[in-house]
Amino acid sequence: MVLPIRVFDDPVLRAVTHRVPGPSEELDRLIADMTETVRHAGGIGLAAPQVGRSERLFLVDLTFMMEELDEEAQAGFPLQPMVFINPMILWEGPEELDFEEGCLSIPGVRENVIRPERIRISYHDQAFTKHTIEAGDMLARVIQHEYDHVEGILFIDRISPLRRTMLRRRLREIARGVVETDYLIAAHQRAA
Ligand code: ZN
């Protein structure tokens, strides 16, 4: 089921998320719905707060980008959507990268964000098997953006004060529901 996406400045995007206690049918359903939702919206990542759930869980789905990459770049690239449950970033590499980001919860806004180029993260997969991986490039970028969501942080919090001031009007419009998307967003936002 495609779930409506919560947009700025829905309080759930800022709420403290809870650890997922363990595997369950409900969790499986949420992950299936989030997978459908991120594909419907044409996104590459989605965190539980974005569908109104304060849980420490996000998805990264880079599969559709595979075709655009050469063989070398494909190595180490996830071949299927990845589910990160109760993630913890353990290490951030010393190199930083300035790269443009967008967010399904902040439609139409794209801004450059500086983040570490490589990270190490531990998480549980859907079966609650624990993994620790090191990620770089695009995967590291999307993981960090989604990880921020489960910490109640949005990418606009990480841009310069000047850029944020320039966006103020646009953000106010989004908060008031003056926003058009080709994917489903939460109804109360439109009515706000
Ligand atoms: Zn986002």
Side-chain angles (χ1 to χ4, degrees):
M1 185 172 73
V2 172
L3 304 170
I5 291 179
R6 304 299 185 98
V7 300
F8 181 86
D9 58 351
D10 191 314
V12 76
L13 296 173
R14 299 301 195 177
V16 175
T17 55
H18 306 286
R19 284 180 67 81
V20 181
S24 67
E25 269 179 40
E26 199 205 347
L27 177 66
D28 290 345
R29 198 172 321 118
L30 175 61
I31 291 168
D33 287 348
M34 285 176 63
T35 305
E36 214 179 316
T37 301
V38 72
R39 287 184 170 164
H40 166 76
I44 52 179
L46 186 70
Q50 293 182 278
V51 293
R53 300 277 294 259
S54 290
E55 298 186 52
R56 228 177 145 71
L57 156 70
F58 63 81
L59 306 181
V60 173
D61 184 359
L62 298 174
T63 49
F64 82 98
M65 293 179 67
M66 284 290 288
E67 295 155 18
E68 296 168 24
L69 301 173
D70 58 32
E71 227 165 277
E72 195 186 338
Q74 281 185 9
F77 215 76
L79 297 173
Q80 48 200 6
M82 296 177 77
V83 181
F84 294 82
I85 298 169
N86 301 331
M88 281 302 284
I89 289 183
L90 306 172
W91 172 83
E92 297 178 338
E95 307 290 332
E96 292 188 320
L97 213 61
D98 194 3
F99 197 81
E100 194 184 66
E101 296 187 20
C103 180
L104 294 173
S105 294
I106 312 174
V109 173
R110 300 194 68 85
E111 290 289 332
N112 274 51
V113 182
I114 297 169
R115 297 188 189 270
E117 192 184 358
R118 294 193 73 79
I119 53 147
R120 192 177 305 129
I121 184 169
S122 72
Y123 63 96
H124 290 89
D125 64 20
Q126 194 166 350
F128 262 72
T129 305
K130 193 172 180 179
H131 303 270
T132 300
I133 61 164
E134 201 170 306
D137 304 313
M138 195 62 187
L139 181 58
R141 173 63 51 161
V142 183
I143 286 174
Q144 290 176 88
H145 177 112
E146 300 310 325
Y147 187 87
D148 272 354
H149 275 299
V150 300
E151 300 275 310
I153 298 166
L154 300 173
F155 81 99
I156 49 169
D157 303 342
R158 296 191 181 278
I159 64 178
S160 72
L162 174 66
R163 290 298 309 163
R164 219 169 22 245
T165 303
M166 292 171 77
L167 279 176
R168 204 155 54 190
R169 186 169 160 192
R170 179 71 199 122
L171 291 174
R172 224 171 15 226
E173 284 175 351
I174 295 172
R176 279 184 19 237
V178 184
V179 58
E180 269 188 45
T181 57
D182 50 13
Y183 51 88
L184 191 62
I185 61 175
H188 78 273
Q189 291 289 337
R190 289 182 189 281

